[in-house]
Amino acid sequence: MLDKADDAATRSRNAYHTSPSALARQLREAVRGEVYFDAGTRALYATDASNYRQPPIGVVVPRDVDDVIATVAVCKHHSVPVLSRGGGTSLAGQCCNTAVVMDMSKYMNRIITIDPQRQLARVQSGVVLDDLRDAAEEHGLTFAPDPSTHTHNTLGGMIGNNSCGVHSVMGGRTSDNVHELDILLYDGMRLQVGATDDAAFEEIVAAGGRRAEIYTQLKSLGDRYADDIRKRYPDIPRRVSGYNLDDLLPEQGFHLARALVGSESTCVTVLEATVRLVPSPPARVLLVLGYPDVYSAGDHVPCIMQYHPIGLEGMDMGLVRDMQQVRLHTDELKLMPEGGGWLIVEFGDQTPEQAQQQARTVMHDLEQQQDAPHMRLFSDPQEQQRIWHVRESALGATAHIPNEPLTWPGWEDSAVPPDQVGSYLRDLRELLERYGYAGDLYGHFGQGCIHTRIDFELATDEGIRQYRSFMNDAADLVLSYGGTLSGEHGDGQARGELLPRMFGDRLMQAFREFKTIWDPDGKMNPGKVVDADAIDQHLRLGRHYDAPALDTAFRFPQDQNSFPHAVLRCVGVGKCRRQHGGTMCPSYRATRDERHSTRGRSRLLFEMLRSDVITSGWRSKAVHEALDLCLSCKGCKSDCPVDVDMATYKAEFLYHYYKGRIRPRQAYAYGLINHWARYGSHAPRLVNFLTQTPGLSAVAKAIAGMPQQRSIPAFAPQTFKRWFADREPPRRSGQPVLLWADTFNNYFHPHIARAAVQVLEAAGFDVQVPQEPLCCGRPLYDFGMLDLARSRLERIMQVLHTQIDAGVPVVGLEPSCVAVFRDELPNLFPDSQVAHRLRTQSCTLAEFLDQHAHWQPPHLPGKALVHAHCHHKSVLTTEADHHLLDQTGLDYEWLDSGCCGMAGAFGFEPDKYAVSLQVGEQVLLPAVRKADADTLLITDGFSCREQISQTTGRRALHLAEALALALDKEASS
């Protein structure tokens, strides 16, 4: 347990003698970047991906190096601790502290130069790893260390933690790949540090001053502790724990840059880095080996490493079972060979044939062994990427399993000699079982690094006591193997307290001296690594955590019927911060602001419920501001490895935020669009005259709260339901199908619904359309109008009860409406059998034709660009659409276009118009403009078609229209 003396020591170390308002004022005067000292931002940066939580004093988002220098100078003047932060994905608590946090990721993210001849790159500390790797690949080079967060982590963070990743087998740790650092000390001194030969050292010393003093002291430290360093530092590929004092030794070239790698912002602030690039094998293959269990897989690591792979990963059956349970990468898992434990082996060479030959040599040799594993070789790059998705999703996949305890980091990063992996895994499993803990085992087996998340109980006295006991026993276990507490995630607070067990008192004193040389004031990220805060201090939950009991509109059946439990889903991995690929998170991609990421919003909701920094509960303006730019795209529901559903959380929050209050007029204009559309359909020409005529339309937009740059969608002269009721009924002989006439396709785009009728009847079905004025209420969720949304769904279940009980399929044309039946409906009515049936019977047109129709769609010549609505991708699936389009013979490109930016009412709100365009301009709109005039544009979403039409002048088709077009061409030929 942490005693009062420890707590007092922490408070003293982090103490500062100025008011936050005065500090904030001086920082705003000194820097051009952003300065935040409000409760919302402090809550936002209170934690990272670890078990720990420490609200900062304030946050600075510097625009350039001058801003960083000015920030540190002001903090030095006030004796305030500082902490520089990159992607905020640290798992050991390095990125949270009672300090002024400098977020380097938003602006300081440039690649300054790449020198392919010298194989060096110079970058700012906030550059994203994959941005560097993509730029280096143009020269056939790469930065070898590549953690699973490579799409969004930063070089500065990797330098701080000494990160590694899959391809450290090929190129070493980050410290092995740092050539030079541009650093800033707390006292304001700026230095360029790297390797220092004797001549350079003598020149520096002769010049005198603070630089000479630092070099002299470090040289003396290395000399005095050289024998201890050589004796106590484990000779393994993944020793990351402790400071890199071995880089002060003569045989390492007295390399101060590498000595600072892994110091976790406790010594200096990294401004820029010159890093080593290595040749990137242009051709790669994956060999996946299946063993009876993960221990057998671990035993085979030394054998496989003899063949010099460029990557060697391992994973156990528990990880696969967890992925299956949360339905993550289910198709990818089918690619895995038979087994209960696996090694994923990557080979690289200049040509595919050479890379395959390396793998086939291994396969041939393994086949001669009595205990040969099951093997599958993957040479197709797309299949290889699918396998890597399985491995990279491990952290998220094991964090939040339905009906099982949450899992946490802490002992997620131990490493042993690679030839001891199998034995260590067995002993680690035995230790886990002795404590009654569960945890999947996976990691970088080729270098002996083992990852796991464990179901620690971190909210009770007994659970925390057991956690402390386990951590000490686990440390003794890994050290008995000659291993290390950390193999790539660093020590921070999670393992800092345990470092004396690994290094002994004498080297711990050397660590203190090393830090003091750089940071004599002790204000650089205090309480981490050296004299670290206790492992049970500053816990995110902790013994005083008490989740509030809340009466919510949604029931959250996948989260123990608890909104607080749902908010804990976010593990901080930060995949929502990536800038390319997938859908999540469009508002972050537009703003690069942490508060507008899925992770940031999750953090704020957690802090709102915790209520010690954010104290206004459901009425929090900080939370409202962060959620306001959420497009409710639900991209996070599928792209996030733990399925955070921010659209639902936003709807729940707004439901409480506006309870008893008047909502903004856009809520009534757009949320109640079904009402207004019904009224307008009685006089469509008059309404269109008022909304489409110049001058009058401007007034109408002002009344509705719509940006003047937008166009108001025009009403159709006749609704789809009226057309359907008035037409001459066909001979009904086929299977009945209920076509859902949503608001948009009934009142605005009835031609789409008519096309759907044509297609369904051509496929042999008896189309039925309910004539009652029913609406799923999709727009209501965006404004938190959940009582009304619930009543809309109750009405649907009441009116359609007979068809639902009879099992009649419900085909929806608007993806967001189908998503309501699949997602919101069971969340609001988890115990309703009618709701369950409606959920399972609802489908898109493509799903219905693919699953229920024995129908060959006609040939459709030409080319097309296809964009999927966000809810289509995140809640539904697009496999059926692919299958159907393949059958038509259409030459189509499926865009990885993220969100269109319109997102229902989002793009029709004045304060969101600019963001709406920014999101659309990332992929979709440029692709549309680039497409030939005769290229079909296909998307099922009303919002998507409006965004395309209103910004490019091009008209997009619904899939129903494309299929009807094919039918018409066939009939006319």
Side-chain angles (χ1 to χ4, degrees):
M1 296 292 180
L2 180 71
D3 59 31
K4 293 181 179 179
D6 292 330
D7 194 29
T10 299
R11 288 197 302 270
S12 175
R13 180 173 54 220
N14 288 12
Y16 58 97
H17 306 289
T18 189
S19 71
S21 59
L23 179 62
R25 183 176 61 254
Q26 291 192 24
L27 284 169
R28 291 189 181 103
E29 293 171 352
V31 305
R32 296 189 306 112
E34 300 157 18
V35 177
Y36 303 104
F37 274 61
D38 60 286
T41 306
R42 292 178 58 240
L44 195 66
Y45 286 83
T47 189
D48 45 18
S50 72
N51 300 336
Y52 301 100
R53 171 186 177 272
Q54 289 177 273
I57 300 165
V59 176
V60 175
V61 185
R63 286 190 175 273
D64 50 30
V65 167
D66 289 342
D67 271 359
V68 178
I69 294 171
T71 298
V72 173
V74 172
C75 291
K76 164 70 173 174
H77 177 73
H78 291 280
S79 193
V80 170
V82 295
L83 161 63
S84 56
R85 165 173 160 148
T89 59
S90 293
L91 286 154
Q94 300 98 317
C95 279
C96 54
N97 211 328
T98 307
V100 168
V101 172
M102 295 181 290
D103 184 344
M104 305 292 201
S105 64
K106 185 172 183 178
Y107 298 116
M108 295 186 62
N109 49 33
R110 289 192 305 112
I111 300 170
I112 300 170
T113 59
I114 290 182
D115 185 340
Q117 283 70 42
R118 298 177 64 203
Q119 297 187 357
L120 295 174
R122 187 168 183 84
V123 299
Q124 291 183 315
S125 62
V127 73
V128 170
L129 172 59
D130 268 6
D131 290 346
L132 172 61
R133 294 170 72 204
D134 290 345
E137 284 289 351
E138 296 178 9
H139 307 283
L141 302 170
T142 192
F143 186 72
D146 57 344
S148 60
T149 53
H150 54 84
T151 61
H152 52 280
N153 68 12
T154 67
L155 263 292
M158 294 180 66
I159 291 167
N161 290 350
N162 200 3
S163 299
C164 302
V166 174
H167 294 106
S168 295
V169 168
M170 177 176 69
R173 305 165 297 170
T174 295
S175 57
D176 301 315
N177 293 277
V178 167
H179 179 73
E180 188 176 74
L181 293 178
D182 182 356
I183 59 173
L184 178 69
L185 278 61
Y186 187 73
D187 63 13
M189 185 170 192
R190 185 175 178 181
L191 293 174
Q192 302 279 340
V193 295
T196 314
D197 59 24
D198 291 341
F201 179 80
E202 293 301 331
E203 183 179 343
I204 291 169
V205 172
R210 173 80 168 116
R211 186 185 187 198
E213 177 185 317
I214 291 170
Y215 275 67
T216 301
Q217 290 176 343
L218 290 171
K219 188 74 167 177
S220 173
L221 185 148
D223 292 343
R224 285 185 287 113
Y225 291 100
D227 291 342
D228 300 273
I229 295 169
R230 296 184 181 108
K231 179 181 178 181
R232 295 296 297 255
Y233 274 52
D235 185 17
I236 59 175
R238 282 296 190 94
R239 194 280 308 159
V240 168
S241 282
Y243 290 139
N244 294 339
L245 301 186
D246 49 338
D247 282 304
L248 299 180
L249 301 180
E251 58 265 34
Q252 298 297 329
F254 193 60
H255 205 306
L256 300 194
R258 294 180 178 177
L260 285 168
V261 174
S263 57
E264 302 179 1
S265 193
T266 63
C267 297
V268 300
T269 295
V270 175
L271 303 174
E272 296 176 359
T274 302
V275 297
R276 179 177 71 118
L277 303 175
V278 299
S280 177
R284 306 185 185 207
V285 298
L286 276 188
L287 174 61
V288 184
L289 309 175
Y291 295 87
D293 51 52
V294 73
Y295 318 113
S296 303
D299 291 336
H300 277 73
V301 165
C303 169
I304 304 302
M305 284 300 293
Q306 294 177 16
Y307 296 91
H308 307 293
I310 63 173
L312 177 54
E313 302 291 288
M315 49 189 280
D316 72 355
M317 175 56 81
L319 177 60
V320 170
R321 280 196 298 263
D322 285 345
M323 287 189 177
Q324 291 171 336
Q325 190 166 347
V326 299
R327 299 186 299 278
L328 180 67
H329 299 312
T330 52
D331 290 336
E332 285 80 356
L333 290 173
K334 296 174 184 176
L335 298 173
M336 304 289 286
E338 179 183 343
W342 294 267
L343 293 180
I344 302 172
V345 195
E346 186 177 42
F347 293 98
D349 216 316
Q350 295 303 304
T351 68
E353 294 75 20
Q354 290 172 321
Q356 290 179 36
Q357 184 55 49
Q358 290 186 53
R360 295 193 185 281
T361 298
V362 177
M363 297 173 73
H364 176 268
D365 292 350
L366 290 177
E367 286 171 350
Q368 313 309 310
Q369 299 180 7
Q370 186 173 359
D371 56 349
H374 298 278
M375 294 177 273
R376 286 202 67 181
L377 178 62
F378 298 94
S379 54
D380 178 20
Q382 291 187 342
E383 286 192 330
Q384 293 179 51
Q385 191 61 44
R386 293 172 69 188
I387 295 294
W388 282 129
H389 284 161
V390 172
R391 168 60 188 87
E392 291 174 356
S393 298
L395 188 156
T398 61
H400 199 111
I401 309 301
N403 303 315
E404 293 186 16
L406 296 175
T407 62
W408 300 91
W411 195 252
E412 85 296 338
D413 191 38
S414 54
V416 296
D419 60 358
Q420 297 293 312
V421 168
S423 298
Y424 174 65
L425 289 174
R426 292 182 180 90
D427 286 346
L428 179 58
R429 176 61 69 193
E430 181 182 341
L431 180 64
L432 289 166
E433 291 176 351
R434 177 150 48 92
Y435 274 86
Y437 288 142
D440 300 338
L441 302 172
Y442 57 95
H444 312 293
F445 284 14
Q447 292 193 309
C449 184
I450 311 302
H451 294 327
T452 184
R453 289 179 67 91
I454 301 171
D455 55 346
F456 299 124
E457 169 51 69
L458 299 178
T460 66
D461 283 331
E462 177 57 25
I464 293 170
R465 183 201 63 76
Q466 188 175 13
Y467 165 61
R468 283 191 61 85
S469 177
F470 172 84
M471 290 291 287
N472 281 281
D473 287 349
D476 290 341
L477 173 63
V478 76
L479 295 178
S480 73
Y481 276 88
T484 178
L485 309 177
S486 172
E488 69 173 339
H489 297 160
D491 301 311
Q493 185 179 344
R495 290 170 285 273
E497 180 188 347
L498 302 173
L499 288 176
R501 289 175 177 261
M502 178 174 174
F503 291 103
D505 292 340
R506 183 167 165 79
L507 277 180
M508 289 305 298
Q509 179 56 33
F511 290 169
R512 291 187 188 94
E513 293 179 27
F514 182 78
K515 174 177 170 60
T516 301
I517 291 169
W518 297 106
D519 176 32
D521 294 310
K523 296 298 183 181
M524 297 295 300
N525 203 13
K528 318 294 178 181
V529 185
V530 174
D531 298 322
D533 294 335
I535 60 174
D536 59 349
Q537 191 177 2
H538 310 307
L539 288 171
R540 192 192 308 181
L541 298 185
R543 51 181 58 87
H544 300 298
Y545 176 74
D546 185 19
L550 301 173
D551 183 16
T552 55
F554 286 109
R555 298 285 294 279
F556 303 101
Q558 299 300 313
D559 292 284
Q560 302 179 9
N561 298 312
S562 166
F563 180 70
H565 192 271
V567 168
L568 283 174
R569 272 186 179 269
C570 179
V571 295
V573 71
K575 190 177 178 181
C576 48
R577 288 170 52 96
R578 65 182 180 180
Q579 287 290 316
H580 309 286
T583 305
M584 174 183 71
C585 173
S587 49
Y588 175 78
R589 293 183 183 186
T591 66
R592 296 186 73 105
D593 191 324
E594 176 73 13
R595 79 186 66 244
H596 296 133
S597 67
T598 304
R599 180 180 71 179
R601 293 172 178 130
S602 294
R603 291 291 186 254
L604 285 170
L605 287 167
F606 170 79
E607 292 289 335
M608 177 193 79
L609 298 178
R610 191 179 175 96
S611 72
D612 59 352
V613 176
I614 295 177
T615 58
S616 45
W618 292 116
R619 295 297 173 91
S620 169
K621 292 183 178 180
V623 177
H624 182 273
E625 178 186 347
L627 290 172
D628 192 45
L629 279 192
C630 171
L631 286 83
S632 297
C633 68
K634 289 185 178 283
C636 48
K637 192 171 176 67
S638 59
D639 288 0
C640 173
V642 289
D643 297 339
V644 168
D645 185 3
M646 192 51 61
T648 297
Y649 304 169
K650 174 184 178 180
E652 185 70 49
F653 173 82
L654 293 177
Y655 171 70
H656 296 277
Y657 183 84
Y658 283 114
K659 187 169 281 188
R661 291 176 165 183
I662 300 297
R663 287 174 165 83
R665 67 182 183 275
Q666 288 92 343
Y668 304 104
Y670 306 135
L672 302 179
I673 184 63
N674 179 256
H675 287 292
W676 310 132
R678 282 173 57 196
Y679 300 148
S681 67
H682 295 301
R685 292 178 180 174
L686 173 61
V687 175
N688 287 341
F689 174 76
L690 296 174
T691 60
Q692 308 300 313
T693 304
L696 294 177
S697 64
V699 175
K701 294 174 192 177
I703 293 172
M706 181 184 295
Q708 293 296 324
Q709 300 94 322
R710 290 294 188 191
S711 299
I712 300 176
F715 280 93
Q718 181 186 43
T719 69
F720 164 69
K721 287 186 178 182
R722 173 53 56 193
W723 171 85
F724 189 85
D726 291 348
R727 74 174 188 147
E728 182 177 341
R731 290 165 51 181
R732 301 178 183 275
S733 59
Q735 174 187 342
V737 57
L738 194 151
L739 182 61
W740 181 256
D742 62 87
T743 297
F744 307 106
N745 289 310
N746 183 39
Y747 297 111
F748 299 100
H749 291 172
H751 57 279
I752 290 174
R754 293 199 296 267
V757 171
Q758 179 185 355
V759 170
L760 288 169
E761 291 182 344
F765 293 95
D766 175 15
V767 180
Q768 301 174 4
V769 176
Q771 289 297 315
E772 293 85 348
L774 302 177
C775 177
C776 71
R778 173 64 257 174
L780 299 170
Y781 298 95
D782 297 341
F783 301 101
M785 304 168 83
L786 299 184
D787 287 335
L788 186 54
R790 183 182 178 91
S791 67
R792 294 269 181 91
L793 292 175
E794 287 175 332
R795 175 65 177 162
I796 290 170
M797 291 188 288
Q798 179 184 25
V799 171
L800 301 183
H801 191 280
T802 301
Q803 292 99 321
I804 294 172
D805 280 354
V808 176
V810 179
V811 174
L813 301 176
E814 177 60 35
S816 59
C817 295
V818 181
V820 168
F821 296 146
R822 296 269 192 94
D823 191 14
E824 280 86 1
L825 176 67
N827 202 340
L828 289 168
F829 301 93
D831 302 321
S832 168
Q833 287 301 312
V834 178
H836 175 71
R837 293 190 191 102
L838 179 54
R839 174 183 179 272
T840 57
Q841 291 165 214
S842 300
C843 52
T844 66
L845 177 64
E847 288 174 331
F848 178 77
L849 293 173
D850 191 50
Q851 297 167 12
H852 298 274
H854 302 288
W855 177 65
Q856 173 65 44
H859 181 68
L860 182 60
K863 294 183 177 182
L865 286 181
V866 185
H867 163 79
H869 184 284
C870 293
H871 294 176
H872 202 159
K873 292 177 283 192
S874 57
V875 178
L876 315 175
T877 66
T878 60
E879 292 179 14
D881 299 77
H882 281 276
H883 189 208
L884 208 59
L885 290 172
D886 287 342
Q887 290 180 292
T888 68
L890 184 66
D891 180 10
Y892 68 93
E893 176 186 358
W894 196 282
L895 294 173
D896 186 8
S897 45
C899 179
C900 74
M902 186 66 88
F906 186 92
F908 283 108
E909 297 187 51
D911 57 337
K912 301 179 178 68
Y913 175 74
V915 172
S916 171
L917 291 188
Q918 284 179 273
V919 172
E921 292 292 350
Q922 289 174 351
V923 177
L924 175 61
L925 300 181
V928 168
R929 295 189 189 100
K930 191 182 298 184
D932 294 336
D934 58 353
T935 297
L936 298 179
L937 309 175
I938 301 176
T939 182
D940 285 0
F942 175 83
S943 296
C944 309
R945 295 192 300 274
E946 282 297 309
Q947 182 78 308
I948 291 171
S949 171
Q950 295 200 20
T951 56
T952 70
R954 295 286 300 271
R955 178 176 177 264
L957 304 179
H958 190 283
L959 176 65
E961 293 180 277
L963 294 174
L965 180 64
L967 288 171
D968 292 341
K969 287 181 179 292
E970 182 183 60
S972 61
S973 63

